Amino acid sequence: AKEEVSIKTLLKEMVDREGKARFPVLPYTCKQFSSYDRKATVRGGEGWFANGDYNQFLRVETQNGREEFVMMESSGPGSIVRFWMTLNGETERAGTLRIYVDDYETPVIEGTVFDVLSGNVVVGEPLAAGVSPKTPRELRGHNLYMPIPYGQRCKVTFEYPSPLKRDESGNPIFPGYFFYNIGYRTYDPSVSVISYSQKQLQANRKLIEQVQQQLL
């Protein structure tokens, strides 16, 4: 049978201990989008140790009248495999995180950062969790390990909930401190990927529960 990538295969891979010692059947490249300081460009050069690793986005775009800060955009078959974020400020926590796959204008995942990454919008613990448990929830790092595969493209955005100040050119200024990194895989264009959807999520609920228990 032709090999393919899906929520099902990625979840099974997470708990396949023997598989860790083998090359994957479908090779992939690991990559990351993050809020790293863009001044760090040349190793050892000026700005290499710049540490303003927050509020860095690809661009700001308008969707249905909303201004959305684009955090990730990837073309071709792939999958998000880890999503981490932490925030500083009440307003950012009330903002809306959206994940779009393929050519859908409607996000397949939508909610506040807390609800998506460490709540129950997608899954519960431990695939979605905030750490450390002894730290106040609003100050934790929030992690989503639930795989989000996509066949054609993926885009992740954040909408700030309050009116934004503008610079002299009219560009919105993001206030507060917004840290993130999104780990993802890219596959060869020939690889077949079943994209994330609510239908796929529901179809794999039993497997998700099994994987959750194994990880715990």
Side-chain angles (χ1 to χ4, degrees), residues 1-198:
K2 183 178 180 180
E3 297 287 346
E4 63 183 13
V5 175
S6 64
I7 289 176
K8 181 178 181 179
T9 64
L10 292 167
L11 284 171
K12 287 185 174 182
E13 180 185 325
M14 292 181 73
V15 290
D16 179 9
R17 294 184 177 184
E18 291 186 0
K20 307 305 178 194
R22 303 190 186 101
F23 284 107
V25 174
L26 297 174
Y28 56 83
T29 300
C30 289
K31 297 184 179 182
Q32 175 177 275
F33 282 93
S34 80
S35 56
Y36 79 94
D37 195 319
R38 272 38 173 185
K39 292 191 294 293
T41 56
V42 179
R43 184 182 298 275
E46 183 179 357
W48 181 245
F49 294 103
N51 197 33
D53 298 323
Y54 54 87
N55 298 1
Q56 308 282 352
F57 302 94
L58 300 181
R59 63 181 183 277
V60 182
E61 64 182 28
T62 301
Q63 291 273 6
N64 299 319
R66 305 183 301 258
E67 284 189 312
E68 299 185 22
F69 291 80
V70 180
M71 305 158 62
M72 168 191 174
E73 186 169 46
S74 176
S75 298
S79 178
I80 294 176
V81 290
R82 186 211 176 210
F83 195 151
W84 170 88
M85 187 183 295
T86 190
L87 309 172
N88 178 52
E90 293 295 331
T91 307
E92 294 100 295
R93 297 180 194 122
T96 303
L97 184 67
R98 295 182 176 91
I99 302 177
Y100 302 84
V101 300
D102 300 336
D103 293 323
Y104 298 129
E105 293 185 3
T106 302
V108 293
I109 297 174
E110 180 176 8
T112 68
V113 170
F114 287 179
D115 289 342
V116 173
L117 301 189
S118 60
N120 293 301
V121 165
V122 183
V123 289
E125 293 185 337
L127 287 175
V131 293
S132 157
K134 294 184 178 181
T135 304
R137 189 165 185 255
E138 65 272 14
L139 301 178
R140 299 177 190 173
H142 299 269
N143 299 271
L144 179 67
Y145 289 96
M146 177 69 191
I148 304 171
Y150 50 91
Q152 300 173 32
R153 64 192 291 260
C154 180
K155 182 171 67 176
V156 180
T157 71
F158 181 80
E159 179 191 2
Y160 195 81
S162 302
L164 293 163
K165 293 182 179 180
R166 306 277 167 171
D167 61 20
E168 295 180 353
S169 300
N171 300 311
I173 300 172
F174 195 97
Y177 296 91
F178 191 93
F179 301 83
Y180 68 90
N181 58 56
I182 304 171
Y184 69 107
R185 296 177 178 181
T186 60
Y187 294 92
D188 185 85
S190 63
V191 173
S192 174
V193 174
I194 300 176
S195 298
Y196 179 98
S197 66
Q198 286 300 312

